[in-house]
Amino acid sequence: MAQPLRSIADGMANQSAQGDWDVVYNVRITPATTVNTGTTSGYQTVARWQETPTVPTLGGSVPYAYCKSVRATALTGSGGILVGLETNGGTLTVSGNSFAAGTALPSRKSSGASAAVQLASTMPILWSSASATATTPVVTIGYTNEAGTSSRSMTMTLPTNSLIGSAYLMSPHLQSGDLGIRSIDSMSISTGTAGVFKVGLLVPFVTQLNGAATGCSITTQFIPVVQPGLLAGDQIGVYRIGTNSSSVMSFGLTLGPET
Amino acid sequence: MTYISTFQDIQDLQAAGQAVESHLQGVATGTTTAAAAASGYISSHVLLNNLGTTLASTLRGFPMQAGISTKRMRLIYAQSHNNRAITSLVANLYLIGTVDFTATGQRLTHHSATFPLLRTRMGQASQPMAGIPLLYITVATATTAPIFTIDYTDATGASKTGTLTTTLPAAITTQNSCYIPPLEAGTTGVRDVSAVNVTAAATAGKANLYLMEQLCYTTTPVLNMPGVADMVYTGFAPPRFDPAVATSGTASVLTAMVSLGSTSTETGTAYIKVVVES
C-alpha cells in the first residue's frame, strides 16, 4: 500500500496518478466573537470559522484522503489557526436545556498504518452555533474518554452571551486523568434563554501560529502530527486561536490520495 | 509498558487520543532590566498564559488537563511566535524556592519538596536530574542592586560553596526580569540550591528561583514569524515531557516558554503536542 505521508515518492506518485483536491475559499468575513476572559472556559479566545469544508467523493482506488497542506490569510487579528477532522459530538439548545446526541468518532487508519484505530479527540471544542442569551452559564458535559470509559464529566463556566462562532477549548477541563474524548453522552446548561452550543470533536492535523495579521502556510507531510484518513462527507473544522476580531480571511486546503 | 519506537507509533498514539496538546497565548511581560556580565549575561523572560496569570504572583504556563503528570509523555512538536526576534524554548521550571533580597545573609526559602528531582536514566531508576538555575524577579528591587552568591549541589552530587557573585543589574531591577546566575567553573548543571547568600541587600525585592529543564528550542529569528521544533522527523529524539519527581514531597512545576535575548515587552503564542507512551 502506498503511504503518502511516509514516503515523498509515494505521495507524488499518488497525486500524479489520482489527482489531488483543493478547496479555496477566496474571501470570507469571519464574525466578531466573544472574548474569553476566564480560566474556566479553555484559557484562550477562540473563534470558529463559519465555513466547514467537506471531503468530496473519492474514486474507487482511493480508500482515504489525507491533508497535504493548508494556507490561510487573515487580515485582522494575530494568533493561530487550527484545522482538523471534526465530528459533531452533540448539540445543546439553551432554550429548554435540551441535548441532541451527535456522532461518536469513528475508527480510522492514519497514513501509513496497517490498521484502523478508534479515534479520540485531544482537542474537543465547545462552540456557539447560535448566539446565546445566558449569564455566565455553567455547561456540564458527560462524555466517553479516549480509553472508552463512559460516565466521565466536566464543567465549563462560559462568558456571558457567547456570540455565534465563539469557541472554547475543553481539554484543560476534562475530568482528572483524561486525555481526550470519543463521544459526548450528555450536555446541560445552568441558565439561559437562547442559543445553541455544539461540541466539535476535533482531531487536529494542522496548528499554525502567526504573530501578525498575515498569512500562514504549512505542508502537513512534514510535521509529526497525526493525519487521519479522511472519507467522503467528512467535515473539516477551522478555528482561529487568540483572536475574536472580525476579519477578512482566505483559506485553502489540499487533500492528497492514498492508494 | 508501551514505548515509542517508530514514526507510526507517533501517529497511532495521537489517533487514539493518547496525546496532549496545549496552546499558550502569552501575557505581555512588560519592559524588564537587561542583564549585565555580573548578572549572567543573558536577559530572559518567562512567557506565561494570559488567562490565569497575574504577574508576578500567580503564574500559569501551558494550560493542560489535571491528573496527567504521572503518565510517561514525550514532546514531539512545538511552535511559538514572539513579537521580538529572540531565542525561545519550552521548559519545565521547578520551583527551588523563593529569595528575599531585603536583608543580608542566607535568604533562600526552599520549596517544601526535597530535591534532587529524579528520573530513570540509562537503565537506572530514580537518578538525580540536573538543570540550570533561573532567577525570576517577582517583586522589583529598590535602592540597592542586590549582590549574592549561591551554594548548590552540582550535577555530579558535589556540594559547591559559591564564590562567584551575582549582582542584579540595577538598583531597580524590574519585576518579571530573569537571570541565569553564574556557576562555578566546571559546573555543568545543578541538582539543588541550598543557599542564596545575600551580601548587599535592597529595600525591596523578591524572586522565584527555578531549576530549568530545557525541552526544546523554538527560535524566532524574525519577529512574528513562527519558530518550529520537530522532535520526530528531525532526528527522532522526542524528550521526556512529564515532570521529574521530587525525592520527597511534590515539586511545583511550571511548563512554559522561556525566551532569551530581549528586555522589551514581549508577548506571543505557543503550541505544544505531546504523546503519551503509557
Side-chain angles (χ1 to χ4, degrees):
Chain A
M1 178 180 290
Q3 300 174 345
L5 295 181
R6 299 182 69 194
S7 160
I8 295 172
D10 282 353
M12 296 305 295
N14 288 352
Q15 282 185 274
S16 295
Q18 307 294 339
D20 49 24
W21 182 72
D22 288 297
V23 56
V24 178
Y25 291 89
N26 184 18
V27 171
R28 300 288 291 172
I29 296 175
T30 61
T33 56
T34 301
V35 175
N36 194 355
T37 57
T39 58
T40 56
S41 47
Y43 289 91
Q44 314 296 349
T45 294
V46 181
R48 181 186 169 85
W49 201 42
Q50 77 272 45
E51 299 291 347
T52 307
T54 301
V55 177
T57 300
L58 306 178
S61 58
V62 179
Y64 287 108
Y66 294 93
C67 179
K68 298 285 288 185
S69 68
V70 164
R71 292 84 60 194
T73 299
L75 298 186
T76 305
S78 62
I81 186 168
L82 176 61
V83 183
L85 168 64
E86 185 173 64
T87 299
N88 177 34
T91 302
L92 170 66
T93 301
V94 176
S95 175
N97 198 8
S98 64
F99 168 68
T103 305
L105 280 171
S107 292
R108 286 290 168 86
K109 188 178 76 62
S110 59
S111 178
S114 57
V117 299
Q118 170 64 54
L119 295 179
S121 172
T122 52
M123 189 61 77
I125 299 176
L126 181 68
W127 64 280
S128 173
S129 65
S131 294
T133 303
T135 303
T136 58
V138 178
V139 175
T140 301
I141 300 171
Y143 64 92
T144 297
N145 72 7
E146 79 287 348
T149 305
S150 60
S151 302
R152 308 297 284 176
S153 180
M154 59 172 289
T155 62
M156 299 172 76
T157 302
L158 306 183
T160 294
N161 297 345
S162 292
L163 295 170
I164 186 171
S166 304
Y168 307 98
L169 304 180
M170 295 166 59
S171 292
H173 311 292
L174 295 175
Q175 187 167 330
S176 181
D178 286 351
L179 298 167
I181 295 179
R182 286 187 184 179
S183 63
I184 300 299
D185 304 325
S186 64
M187 298 172 70
S188 63
I189 192 165
S190 63
T191 186
T193 58
V196 177
F197 291 97
K198 294 178 181 288
V199 172
L201 297 176
L202 197 71
V203 181
F205 43 68
V206 170
T207 295
Q208 183 66 29
L209 305 178
N210 210 46
T214 54
C216 64
S217 174
I218 188 164
T219 303
T220 58
Q221 187 164 344
F222 301 110
I223 59 174
V225 174
V226 66
Q227 299 297 329
L230 303 174
L231 297 177
D234 281 348
Q235 297 207 316
I236 308 297
V238 181
Y239 293 85
R240 301 173 67 208
I241 295 182
T243 180
N244 78 310
S245 60
S246 173
S247 178
V248 172
M249 178 170 164
S250 66
F251 178 81
L253 174 77
T254 299
L255 299 181
E258 179 159 305
T259 61
Chain B
M1 186 173 286
T2 302
Y3 292 98
I4 294 168
S5 58
T6 66
F7 294 121
Q8 196 57 53
D9 290 342
I10 301 272
Q11 289 262 345
D12 289 346
L13 285 169
Q14 291 177 75
Q18 295 296 312
V20 176
E21 42 201 307
S22 179
H23 290 265
L24 182 149
Q25 295 286 331
V27 63
T29 59
T31 300
T32 53
T33 306
S39 51
Y41 294 98
I42 299 175
S43 303
S44 64
H45 285 144
V46 178
L47 296 176
L48 300 153
N49 195 62
N50 183 22
L51 293 179
T53 293
T54 303
L55 294 173
S57 57
T58 304
L59 310 180
R60 179 83 196 194
F62 283 95
M64 285 179 281
Q65 47 269 64
I68 62 171
S69 62
T70 57
K71 300 178 187 294
R72 199 174 70 247
M73 298 183 277
R74 291 193 178 275
L75 179 63
I76 62 167
Y77 188 66
Q79 277 188 50
S80 72
H81 97 265
N82 196 294
N83 67 334
R84 306 290 171 191
I86 45 89
T87 294
S88 58
L89 55 104
V90 181
N92 283 330
L93 302 175
Y94 303 90
L95 183 62
I96 297 172
T98 57
V99 182
D100 184 343
F101 291 114
T102 60
T104 57
Q106 200 295 100
R107 302 297 293 169
L108 172 70
T109 301
H110 201 284
H111 186 266
S112 58
T114 302
F115 285 41
L117 303 166
L118 306 174
R119 283 199 186 283
T120 297
R121 291 194 182 281
M122 304 299 283
Q124 298 185 83
S126 301
Q127 295 302 298
M129 185 194 85
I132 297 171
L134 180 72
L135 190 75
Y136 173 59
I137 304 297
T138 54
V139 175
T141 62
T143 308
T144 303
I147 302 173
F148 62 91
T149 61
I150 62 172
D151 300 339
Y152 58 88
T153 304
D154 73 10
T156 68
S159 295
K160 298 281 187 179
T161 300
T163 61
L164 300 176
T165 58
T166 297
T167 304
L168 292 186
I172 302 174
T173 295
T174 57
Q175 189 184 59
N176 304 324
S177 302
C178 289
Y179 308 100
I180 299 174
L183 302 174
E184 303 300 311
T187 295
T188 57
V190 304
R191 294 180 181 178
D192 191 14
V193 174
S194 57
V196 175
N197 303 301
V198 176
T199 55
T203 56
K206 291 183 179 178
N208 288 347
L209 182 62
Y210 292 106
L211 189 69
M212 177 167 61
E213 180 185 34
Q214 299 179 346
L215 301 177
C216 71
Y217 276 66
T218 58
T219 296
T220 307
V222 179
L223 61 87
N224 287 331
M225 290 296 289
V228 173
D230 175 354
M231 275 69 72
V232 176
Y233 293 138
T234 55
F236 207 93
R240 279 287 289 270
F241 179 80
D242 49 302
V245 297
T247 298
S248 67
T250 302
S252 172
V253 60
L254 179 68
T255 302
M257 300 299 295
V258 176
S259 70
L260 308 175
S262 173
T263 57
S264 302
T265 293
E266 278 184 52
T267 188
T269 65
Y271 163 76
I272 54 174
K273 184 139 194 178
V274 174
V275 293
V276 178
E277 288 186 307
S278 63

Short mmCIF file of all heavy atoms in Angstrom, two decimals, chain A residues 181-225:
data_model
loop_
_atom_site.label_atom_id
_atom_site.label_comp_id
_atom_site.label_asym_id
_atom_site.label_seq_id
_atom_site.Cartn_x
_atom_site.Cartn_y
_atom_site.Cartn_z
N ILE A 181 -11.59 12.69 24.16
CA ILE A 181 -13.00 12.30 24.13
C ILE A 181 -13.29 11.50 22.85
O ILE A 181 -12.87 11.89 21.76
CB ILE A 181 -13.90 13.56 24.16
CG1 ILE A 181 -13.74 14.29 25.49
CG2 ILE A 181 -15.36 13.18 23.92
CD1 ILE A 181 -14.60 15.55 25.60
N ARG A 182 -14.01 10.40 23.03
CA ARG A 182 -14.52 9.65 21.88
C ARG A 182 -15.93 10.08 21.50
O ARG A 182 -16.28 10.12 20.33
CB ARG A 182 -14.56 8.15 22.20
CG ARG A 182 -13.24 7.45 22.24
CD ARG A 182 -13.47 5.96 22.40
NE ARG A 182 -12.22 5.23 22.55
CZ ARG A 182 -12.16 3.93 22.73
NH1 ARG A 182 -13.27 3.20 22.80
NH2 ARG A 182 -10.99 3.32 22.84
N SER A 183 -16.74 10.34 22.52
CA SER A 183 -18.13 10.70 22.22
C SER A 183 -18.70 11.52 23.36
O SER A 183 -18.22 11.47 24.49
CB SER A 183 -18.99 9.44 22.00
OG SER A 183 -19.04 8.67 23.19
N ILE A 184 -19.76 12.26 23.03
CA ILE A 184 -20.47 13.07 24.02
C ILE A 184 -21.74 12.33 24.41
O ILE A 184 -22.53 11.91 23.56
CB ILE A 184 -20.81 14.45 23.44
CG1 ILE A 184 -19.53 15.18 23.03
CG2 ILE A 184 -21.61 15.28 24.44
CD1 ILE A 184 -18.55 15.45 24.16
N ASP A 185 -21.97 12.19 25.71
CA ASP A 185 -23.12 11.45 26.22
C ASP A 185 -24.25 12.36 26.70
O ASP A 185 -25.41 11.97 26.71
CB ASP A 185 -22.69 10.53 27.37
CG ASP A 185 -21.56 9.60 26.94
OD1 ASP A 185 -21.56 9.18 25.76
OD2 ASP A 185 -20.68 9.32 27.77
N SER A 186 -23.89 13.56 27.15
CA SER A 186 -24.92 14.47 27.66
C SER A 186 -24.36 15.88 27.69
O SER A 186 -23.15 16.08 27.78
CB SER A 186 -25.37 14.06 29.07
OG SER A 186 -24.30 14.16 29.98
N MET A 187 -25.28 16.84 27.62
CA MET A 187 -24.91 18.26 27.78
C MET A 187 -26.06 18.96 28.48
O MET A 187 -27.23 18.68 28.18
CB MET A 187 -24.66 18.94 26.42
CG MET A 187 -23.52 18.36 25.61
SD MET A 187 -23.43 19.06 23.93
CE MET A 187 -22.90 20.73 24.27
N SER A 188 -25.75 19.86 29.39
CA SER A 188 -26.79 20.67 30.02
C SER A 188 -26.20 22.01 30.41
O SER A 188 -24.98 22.17 30.49
CB SER A 188 -27.36 19.96 31.26
OG SER A 188 -26.35 19.79 32.24
N ILE A 189 -27.08 22.97 30.63
CA ILE A 189 -26.64 24.33 30.95
C ILE A 189 -27.41 24.83 32.15
O ILE A 189 -28.60 24.50 32.34
CB ILE A 189 -26.83 25.25 29.72
CG1 ILE A 189 -26.10 26.59 29.90
CG2 ILE A 189 -28.30 25.45 29.37
CD1 ILE A 189 -25.95 27.37 28.60
N SER A 190 -26.74 25.63 32.97
CA SER A 190 -27.34 26.03 34.24
C SER A 190 -28.36 27.15 34.08
O SER A 190 -29.28 27.27 34.89
CB SER A 190 -26.25 26.48 35.20
OG SER A 190 -25.58 27.62 34.69
N THR A 191 -28.18 27.98 33.07
CA THR A 191 -29.06 29.13 32.92
C THR A 191 -29.01 29.61 31.48
O THR A 191 -28.07 29.29 30.75
CB THR A 191 -28.64 30.27 33.87
OG1 THR A 191 -29.61 31.32 33.80
CG2 THR A 191 -27.29 30.83 33.50
N GLY A 192 -30.01 30.37 31.09
CA GLY A 192 -30.02 30.95 29.76
C GLY A 192 -31.37 30.76 29.08
O GLY A 192 -32.17 29.89 29.46
N THR A 193 -31.62 31.61 28.09
CA THR A 193 -32.90 31.56 27.41
C THR A 193 -32.77 31.33 25.91
O THR A 193 -33.77 31.04 25.25
CB THR A 193 -33.68 32.88 27.63
OG1 THR A 193 -32.88 33.97 27.16
CG2 THR A 193 -34.00 33.07 29.10
N ALA A 194 -31.58 31.52 25.36
CA ALA A 194 -31.44 31.35 23.92
C ALA A 194 -30.01 30.94 23.59
O ALA A 194 -29.08 31.15 24.37
CB ALA A 194 -31.79 32.65 23.20
N GLY A 195 -29.88 30.36 22.41
CA GLY A 195 -28.55 29.99 21.93
C GLY A 195 -28.43 28.49 21.70
O GLY A 195 -29.24 27.69 22.20
N VAL A 196 -27.44 28.12 20.95
CA VAL A 196 -27.15 26.71 20.68
C VAL A 196 -25.65 26.50 20.79
O VAL A 196 -24.86 27.27 20.22
CB VAL A 196 -27.64 26.29 19.28
CG1 VAL A 196 -27.25 24.84 18.99
CG2 VAL A 196 -29.15 26.48 19.14
N PHE A 197 -25.25 25.46 21.52
CA PHE A 197 -23.84 25.08 21.63
C PHE A 197 -23.65 23.68 21.05
O PHE A 197 -24.50 22.80 21.23
CB PHE A 197 -23.37 25.10 23.09
CG PHE A 197 -23.31 26.47 23.70
CD1 PHE A 197 -24.36 26.95 24.47
CD2 PHE A 197 -22.20 27.28 23.49
CE1 PHE A 197 -24.30 28.21 25.04
CE2 PHE A 197 -22.14 28.55 24.06
CZ PHE A 197 -23.19 29.02 24.83
N LYS A 198 -22.54 23.50 20.40
CA LYS A 198 -22.18 22.19 19.88
C LYS A 198 -20.78 21.82 20.37
O LYS A 198 -19.97 22.70 20.68
CB LYS A 198 -22.18 22.19 18.35
CG LYS A 198 -23.56 22.40 17.71
CD LYS A 198 -23.45 22.43 16.19
CE LYS A 198 -24.81 22.66 15.53
NZ LYS A 198 -25.68 21.48 15.63
N VAL A 199 -20.51 20.53 20.39
CA VAL A 199 -19.16 20.07 20.68
C VAL A 199 -18.54 19.56 19.38
O VAL A 199 -19.04 18.61 18.77
CB VAL A 199 -19.14 18.95 21.73
CG1 VAL A 199 -17.73 18.36 21.85
CG2 VAL A 199 -19.59 19.48 23.08
N GLY A 200 -17.48 20.20 18.98
CA GLY A 200 -16.70 19.72 17.84
C GLY A 200 -15.61 18.78 18.33
O GLY A 200 -14.72 19.20 19.07
N LEU A 201 -15.74 17.51 17.97
CA LEU A 201 -14.70 16.55 18.34
C LEU A 201 -13.61 16.63 17.27
O LEU A 201 -13.69 16.00 16.22
CB LEU A 201 -15.28 15.14 18.44
CG LEU A 201 -16.35 14.96 19.53
CD1 LEU A 201 -16.94 13.56 19.49
CD2 LEU A 201 -15.76 15.24 20.92
N LEU A 202 -12.62 17.44 17.55
CA LEU A 202 -11.62 17.77 16.54
C LEU A 202 -10.41 16.85 16.70
O LEU A 202 -9.88 16.66 17.79
CB LEU A 202 -11.19 19.23 16.72
CG LEU A 202 -10.46 19.87 15.55
CD1 LEU A 202 -11.41 20.12 14.38
CD2 LEU A 202 -9.81 21.19 15.97
N VAL A 203 -10.00 16.28 15.58
CA VAL A 203 -8.72 15.57 15.51
C VAL A 203 -7.81 16.46 14.67
O VAL A 203 -7.83 16.41 13.45
CB VAL A 203 -8.88 14.17 14.87
CG1 VAL A 203 -7.54 13.44 14.84
CG2 VAL A 203 -9.91 13.35 15.64
N PRO A 204 -7.04 17.31 15.33
CA PRO A 204 -6.33 18.36 14.58
C PRO A 204 -5.19 17.77 13.75
O PRO A 204 -4.46 16.90 14.22
CB PRO A 204 -5.76 19.26 15.68
CG PRO A 204 -6.42 18.85 16.94
CD PRO A 204 -6.81 17.43 16.77
N PHE A 205 -5.08 18.23 12.54
CA PHE A 205 -3.89 17.87 11.77
C PHE A 205 -3.06 19.08 11.37
O PHE A 205 -1.99 18.91 10.79
CB PHE A 205 -4.22 17.00 10.55
CG PHE A 205 -5.41 17.39 9.73
CD1 PHE A 205 -5.41 18.56 9.00
CD2 PHE A 205 -6.52 16.58 9.71
CE1 PHE A 205 -6.49 18.90 8.23
CE2 PHE A 205 -7.62 16.93 8.94
CZ PHE A 205 -7.62 18.08 8.20
N VAL A 206 -3.49 20.25 11.71
CA VAL A 206 -2.68 21.44 11.49
C VAL A 206 -2.89 22.43 12.63
O VAL A 206 -4.03 22.73 12.98
CB VAL A 206 -3.05 22.16 10.17
CG1 VAL A 206 -2.36 23.52 10.08
CG2 VAL A 206 -2.63 21.32 8.97
N THR A 207 -1.83 22.87 13.21
CA THR A 207 -1.86 24.06 14.05
C THR A 207 -0.74 24.96 13.57
O THR A 207 0.41 24.52 13.49
CB THR A 207 -1.65 23.73 15.53
OG1 THR A 207 -2.74 22.95 15.98
CG2 THR A 207 -1.56 25.00 16.36
N GLN A 208 -1.08 26.16 13.21
CA GLN A 208 -0.06 27.07 12.72
C GLN A 208 -0.22 28.41 13.40
O GLN A 208 -1.29 29.03 13.34
CB GLN A 208 -0.15 27.24 11.21
CG GLN A 208 0.92 28.12 10.61
CD GLN A 208 2.32 27.54 10.74
OE1 GLN A 208 2.47 26.32 10.78
NE2 GLN A 208 3.32 28.38 10.85
N LEU A 209 0.82 28.85 14.07
CA LEU A 209 0.78 30.12 14.77
C LEU A 209 1.25 31.23 13.85
O LEU A 209 2.04 31.01 12.93
CB LEU A 209 1.67 30.08 16.01
CG LEU A 209 1.37 28.96 16.99
CD1 LEU A 209 2.37 29.01 18.14
CD2 LEU A 209 -0.05 29.07 17.51
N ASN A 210 0.77 32.40 14.13
CA ASN A 210 1.17 33.54 13.33
C ASN A 210 1.11 34.78 14.20
O ASN A 210 0.10 35.05 14.84
CB ASN A 210 0.25 33.70 12.12
CG ASN A 210 0.98 34.32 10.96
OD1 ASN A 210 2.10 33.89 10.66
ND2 ASN A 210 0.39 35.29 10.33
N GLY A 211 2.18 35.52 14.21
CA GLY A 211 2.25 36.65 15.11
C GLY A 211 1.60 37.90 14.59
O GLY A 211 1.26 38.79 15.35
N ALA A 212 1.43 38.00 13.31
CA ALA A 212 0.86 39.20 12.75
C ALA A 212 -0.37 38.83 11.93
O ALA A 212 -0.62 37.66 11.65
CB ALA A 212 1.88 39.91 11.87
N ALA A 213 -1.12 39.82 11.58
CA ALA A 213 -2.35 39.58 10.84
C ALA A 213 -2.03 39.36 9.37
O ALA A 213 -2.41 40.13 8.51
CB ALA A 213 -3.30 40.75 11.02
N THR A 214 -1.32 38.31 9.11
CA THR A 214 -0.96 37.97 7.74
C THR A 214 -1.18 36.49 7.54
O THR A 214 -1.87 35.84 8.31
CB THR A 214 0.50 38.35 7.44
OG1 THR A 214 1.32 37.75 8.42
CG2 THR A 214 0.68 39.84 7.46
N GLY A 215 -0.58 35.94 6.53
CA GLY A 215 -0.89 34.57 6.15
C GLY A 215 0.01 33.54 6.77
O GLY A 215 1.04 33.82 7.35
N CYS A 216 -0.41 32.31 6.65
CA CYS A 216 0.43 31.20 7.04
C CYS A 216 0.23 30.07 6.05
O CYS A 216 -0.79 29.97 5.40
CB CYS A 216 0.13 30.73 8.46
SG CYS A 216 -1.51 30.04 8.68
N SER A 217 1.24 29.27 5.91
CA SER A 217 1.17 28.12 5.02
C SER A 217 1.94 27.00 5.65
O SER A 217 3.02 27.20 6.20
CB SER A 217 1.77 28.47 3.65
OG SER A 217 1.82 27.32 2.84
N ILE A 218 1.38 25.81 5.61
CA ILE A 218 2.08 24.69 6.22
C ILE A 218 1.82 23.44 5.40
O ILE A 218 0.70 23.20 4.92
CB ILE A 218 1.66 24.49 7.69
CG1 ILE A 218 2.56 23.44 8.35
CG2 ILE A 218 0.19 24.12 7.81
CD1 ILE A 218 2.48 23.47 9.86
N THR A 219 2.87 22.68 5.19
CA THR A 219 2.77 21.41 4.48
C THR A 219 2.75 20.31 5.53
O THR A 219 3.72 20.12 6.25
CB THR A 219 3.96 21.23 3.53
OG1 THR A 219 3.97 22.33 2.63
CG2 THR A 219 3.84 19.94 2.76
N THR A 220 1.65 19.61 5.60
CA THR A 220 1.45 18.71 6.73
C THR A 220 2.24 17.43 6.60
O THR A 220 2.37 16.69 7.56
CB THR A 220 -0.03 18.38 6.88
OG1 THR A 220 -0.49 17.81 5.65
CG2 THR A 220 -0.82 19.62 7.18
N GLN A 221 2.76 17.15 5.42
CA GLN A 221 3.50 15.91 5.25
C GLN A 221 4.74 15.88 6.12
O GLN A 221 5.26 14.83 6.44
CB GLN A 221 3.89 15.73 3.78
CG GLN A 221 4.53 14.38 3.48
CD GLN A 221 4.54 14.08 2.00
OE1 GLN A 221 3.82 14.71 1.25
NE2 GLN A 221 5.32 13.11 1.59
N PHE A 222 5.21 17.05 6.51
CA PHE A 222 6.49 17.10 7.21
C PHE A 222 6.35 17.55 8.66
O PHE A 222 7.27 18.12 9.22
CB PHE A 222 7.45 18.01 6.44
CG PHE A 222 7.67 17.53 5.04
CD1 PHE A 222 7.18 18.24 3.97
CD2 PHE A 222 8.34 16.34 4.81
CE1 PHE A 222 7.37 17.78 2.68
CE2 PHE A 222 8.53 15.87 3.52
CZ PHE A 222 8.04 16.59 2.44
N ILE A 223 5.21 17.35 9.23
CA ILE A 223 5.07 17.59 10.66
C ILE A 223 4.60 16.29 11.31
O ILE A 223 3.87 15.52 10.71
CB ILE A 223 4.10 18.75 10.98
CG1 ILE A 223 2.71 18.46 10.43
CG2 ILE A 223 4.65 20.06 10.46
CD1 ILE A 223 1.68 19.49 10.83
N PRO A 224 5.02 16.04 12.54
CA PRO A 224 4.73 14.75 13.15
C PRO A 224 3.36 14.72 13.84
O PRO A 224 3.22 14.19 14.94
CB PRO A 224 5.86 14.61 14.17
CG PRO A 224 6.13 16.01 14.59
CD PRO A 224 5.93 16.86 13.37
N VAL A 225 2.39 15.32 13.21
CA VAL A 225 1.06 15.37 13.78
C VAL A 225 0.18 14.39 13.02
O VAL A 225 0.32 14.23 11.80
CB VAL A 225 0.50 16.80 13.71
CG1 VAL A 225 -0.95 16.85 14.17
CG2 VAL A 225 1.34 17.72 14.57
#
